[in-house]
Amino acid sequence: MAMEQYGEAIWLDGVFHDPKDANTSVMSHAIHYGSGFFEGIRAYATPDGPAIFQLKEHIERLFRSCAYYHVTIPYTVDELVQATIDLVDRNGFEACYIRPFVFLGTPWQALMAKDTEVHVGISCWQLGEYFEKGTGIRAKVASYRRVSSTMMPMQAKAAANYMNSQLLKGEALRDGFDEAIALDMNGNVSEASVANLFLVKGNKISTPSLDCSVLDGITRQAIMRIARDQGYEVIERHIGRDELYVADEIFLTGTAAEITSVAEIDHISINGGRNDVANELLGLYRKAATGHLEEYAGWLTYVTPAVAE
């Protein structure tokens, strides 16, 4: 990605920088030990200008992720919310993907250095489809397991956790698939490399419970609410691998993925690639994210608030 695709500015440590100048030392703690935390957020084009989807919820989760590792962010939630709004406005994007991130800088020499500086940055860029929507993607159950929360806090959106995701995704791509589905250490279905998983059977929609090494995705929570509002029974539970192959539908959710149907797993067609429920929920989700459903208006933070007449 060329640096100009990041727009005019990246916010770093309270200052707007030209993207090519938003740099850090190669001796940063994060580079040597993986001590970083991040969020992925979308801003959508709406009739009232760009609106950021569940911005405060994402920033609050960033603070929780850091808290697991005793990292203190030197800003408040409200300050980072405002910085994000200002960044999108400054770059003039109608719709974009936003990446707030926290990382430890220097000194790096000690694994648990007390005086290591905490840096905070925010970048944004225009993003199309993470997965092509339509007929559904092809997935495989990965040979690598999802890391257990007895080993690392999997509710933290920590950079180090995504080495596990890279192994999952890389294996899937090398084997000719679009995505990987991980099992947890007990053999229960966990999630995809960077997305939560849902299984449809009849009028019931199931998703792995959080004790299956699942990140409590913000899009996951939104889809659970939308589905329940549409009359579906939504259950968080343990899901066995064999249930995947006989589901009525499988779909993934995430900020980048939005709602993506899975048509095939391990070369087995999932009910002929049916995606009725996934398409229904995707349509409602995008209406909510673009300001067309009043009942979900509280999920949106407008970059340029409407001026009262």
Side-chain angles (χ1 to χ4, degrees):
M1 181 182 289
M3 293 303 292
E4 59 265 21
Q5 291 184 281
Y6 292 105
E8 295 181 6
I10 286 176
W11 188 93
L12 180 62
D13 295 333
V15 178
F16 289 105
H17 298 266
D18 185 293
K20 69 179 184 297
D21 298 326
N23 301 318
T24 189
S25 170
V26 296
M27 305 311 292
S28 291
H29 195 280
I31 293 175
H32 293 267
Y33 296 120
S35 47
F37 313 89
F38 68 94
E39 281 295 321
I41 314 172
R42 274 192 190 252
Y44 287 86
T46 81
D48 298 312
I52 305 172
F53 187 75
Q54 294 202 318
L55 172 57
K56 188 172 184 180
E57 290 83 353
H58 278 283
I59 298 300
E60 288 174 340
R61 187 172 65 180
L62 181 64
F63 275 74
R64 292 196 299 272
S65 294
C66 291
Y68 281 110
Y69 288 86
H70 305 278
V71 171
T72 301
I73 296 176
Y75 299 94
T76 67
V77 169
D78 288 343
E79 285 172 333
L80 293 189
V81 164
Q82 190 59 52
T84 305
I85 294 168
D86 293 344
L87 179 70
V88 175
D89 186 42
R90 190 182 188 100
N91 283 321
F93 293 139
E94 284 298 308
C96 61
Y97 182 86
I98 304 163
R99 173 56 59 89
F101 53 96
V102 177
F103 65 96
L104 300 189
T106 55
W108 71 273
Q109 288 88 342
L111 182 63
M112 297 300 293
K114 293 188 299 182
D115 300 321
T116 302
E117 188 172 2
V118 178
H119 297 282
V120 184
I122 311 169
S123 59
C124 62
W125 60 92
Q126 293 176 306
L127 178 70
E129 298 283 6
Y130 184 76
F131 291 115
E132 289 298 323
K133 303 299 188 286
T135 58
I137 64 170
R138 300 174 63 247
K140 67 164 291 185
V141 175
S143 62
Y144 288 99
R145 296 292 178 97
R146 182 58 92 190
V147 174
S148 168
S149 58
T150 63
M151 303 171 187
M152 298 173 71
M154 296 307 289
Q155 288 307 314
K157 201 169 175 66
N161 294 355
Y162 286 79
M163 293 301 291
N164 183 230
S165 296
Q166 289 179 52
L167 290 171
L168 300 170
K169 183 79 171 187
E171 179 185 276
L173 294 178
R174 287 190 295 273
D175 290 345
F177 294 89
D178 303 304
E179 183 56 285
I181 295 171
L183 307 180
D184 70 9
M185 296 303 294
N186 296 313
N188 299 307
V189 174
S190 180
E191 57 185 5
S193 63
V194 291
N196 293 118
L197 181 143
F198 286 80
L199 178 153
V200 181
K201 195 73 174 178
N203 200 47
K204 293 183 179 179
I205 300 176
S206 298
T207 192
S209 49
L210 297 184
D211 61 347
C212 296
S213 298
V214 171
L215 179 71
D216 190 10
I218 289 171
T219 307
R220 173 183 183 267
Q221 289 289 341
I223 291 304
M224 289 169 67
R225 178 180 163 187
I226 291 172
R228 285 172 174 144
D229 289 348
Q230 295 305 303
Y232 292 100
E233 182 180 357
V234 181
I235 307 166
E236 297 177 76
R237 64 178 178 86
H238 291 181
I239 296 174
R241 174 178 178 171
D242 54 350
E243 292 185 68
L244 298 175
Y245 307 121
V246 294
D248 292 341
E249 288 186 45
I250 303 284
F251 61 87
L252 308 178
T253 66
T255 294
E258 297 181 298
I259 295 86
T260 298
S261 177
V262 179
E264 180 186 311
I265 300 175
D266 293 339
H267 301 288
I268 298 173
S269 173
I270 307 304
N271 197 22
R274 177 182 161 188
N275 57 12
D276 300 344
V277 175
N279 285 344
E280 176 190 2
L281 296 177
L282 174 62
L284 290 166
Y285 174 82
R286 284 185 167 171
K287 285 182 179 179
T290 56
H292 292 94
L293 293 177
E294 183 63 32
E295 60 268 38
Y296 306 117
W299 287 348
L300 302 181
T301 299
Y302 287 89
V303 172
T304 305
V307 178
E309 294 183 357

